[in-house]
Amino acid sequence: MLLIPLGINGFFPFNNRHTSCYLVMPSSNTAFLLDAGTGIIRLLKPEVKAKLEQVQELHIILSHYHLDHTSGLFYLTGVWPNRKVVCHAPGYPLVEADPLQALEKLLGPPLYPLRLNDLPLEIEAVTEPRKEIAGLEFRFRPQQHPGSSVGIRVGDYLAYITDTVADPQTAEFARGVNLLMHEVWLTDEEAEHSIEADGVPARAKHSWVGAVAEITKKAEVNLFAPIHHAPWRTDDEILLLAQDIERKCGTPVLALQEGNEYLISLPKTTGTLKK
C-alpha cells in the first residue's frame, strides 16, 4: 500500500506544508484520501498525477469537519475534473453532525458558487464503526474534540488518529497495525502550559509527545508517524519531536514529508521510504 502525505499541518498552511490530507493507494487503480485539507492541491503535481492515471473513482474519508480537514473540497473541480468522488463523512452517533447538513453548509452559497448537489460528489454517511471502502475494511471510533472527530483504522495497514485528546483507549483501537499516524500537536512542556484562545488548556483538545509515546508503546505497532503539526514548527523541530517520541516509546518513528512515497506493508514487516 502506497502512502503519499499531501498535507501534514494542522490549522493553516505554513513552512511549505499544507493542512491535513493523505493519499493512500492500495493498488494502481484504487485511491483514497484521509481528510481533504489544502494538501489536496498536491494532486496536481505531475508525479502525483502520474500515479493516479488509472484511478477513476476517488474516495475521501473525513475525520471531522473543521476547515483544515475539509477546505480542499473547494478545489475538487480543479484537481479532480471529470472523475467520480465519493466522500465518506462521519455522522451520528460517531460525531455530533449530520454529513449532508455539514457539507451543504460548507459547499454552497454564499461560501461557494455551486450547490452540493451540483458537484460530481457522492456523499456516503459513516454512522457505524465498520465500513467497507474500496475493498478494504475501515473501522471508526468516536474521539473527544470540539465538534467531535473519529479515529480511522484501515485494515491492519494503518490507523489515522488526529484532532483528539490523548486517549489511552486509542492503543486498543490501533493495536497491531503496521503504521500508527497520530496527532502530536503539543510538546510535553506545551501540554503543561498552553492555553487556547477560548481559555481552555490545549491538552483538553489535542495530544502531546509523552502521552502519544505511551499510546504507541501499548498499541504494539511496527511504525509511528507524528501528524497534524503545529504550523509554526520548523522541519528541524518536527524531526526533533519525532526523535523524542522514538526514545520514549522504543518504536521506529517516521518524520513524514509531504510528497514523499512510503510503502506500508501488513504488520510485522517494515514500512519503507521511497525517495
Side-chain angles (χ1 to χ4, degrees), residues 34-95:
L34 295 170
D35 278 331
T38 60
I40 203 171
I41 65 173
R42 294 191 187 277
L43 293 181
L44 291 176
K45 292 183 71 69
E47 58 272 26
V48 178
K49 288 182 71 173
K51 294 283 184 186
L52 295 166
E53 285 181 352
Q54 299 181 49
V55 177
Q56 293 303 312
E57 182 175 278
L58 179 67
H59 294 266
I60 299 175
I61 297 93
L62 297 179
S63 65
H64 63 306
Y65 298 99
H66 287 174
L67 286 177
D68 54 338
H69 297 256
T70 58
S71 57
L73 296 174
F74 281 72
Y75 316 148
L76 278 174
T77 56
V79 301
W80 196 257
N82 306 315
R83 285 188 279 182
K84 184 178 179 180
V85 179
V86 182
C87 182
H88 304 268
Y92 301 109
L94 295 174
V95 299

Side-chain angles (χ1 to χ4, degrees), residues 121-157:
L121 180 64
E122 181 180 318
I123 309 298
E124 290 192 6
V126 177
T127 58
E128 300 291 335
R130 294 174 186 262
K131 180 180 176 69
E132 183 178 308
I133 302 172
L136 292 169
E137 183 190 61
F138 282 70
R139 302 182 203 175
F140 301 89
R141 176 176 179 269
Q143 300 179 146
Q144 184 180 334
H145 188 64
S148 59
S149 65
V150 293
I152 301 168
R153 176 171 176 150
V154 186
D156 290 335
Y157 285 97

Side-chain angles (χ1 to χ4, degrees), residues 160-201:
Y160 176 68
I161 311 295
T162 188
D163 287 70
T164 178
V165 298
D167 182 355
Q169 294 187 39
T170 297
E172 187 58 36
F173 178 73
R175 184 173 302 283
V177 297
N178 192 22
L179 173 64
L180 171 58
M181 302 162 64
H182 198 301
E183 166 194 286
V184 187
W185 182 253
L186 303 163
T187 65
D188 290 346
E189 182 179 2
E190 290 165 350
E192 289 294 322
H193 304 292
S194 292
I195 303 296
E196 297 281 281
D198 57 5
V200 175

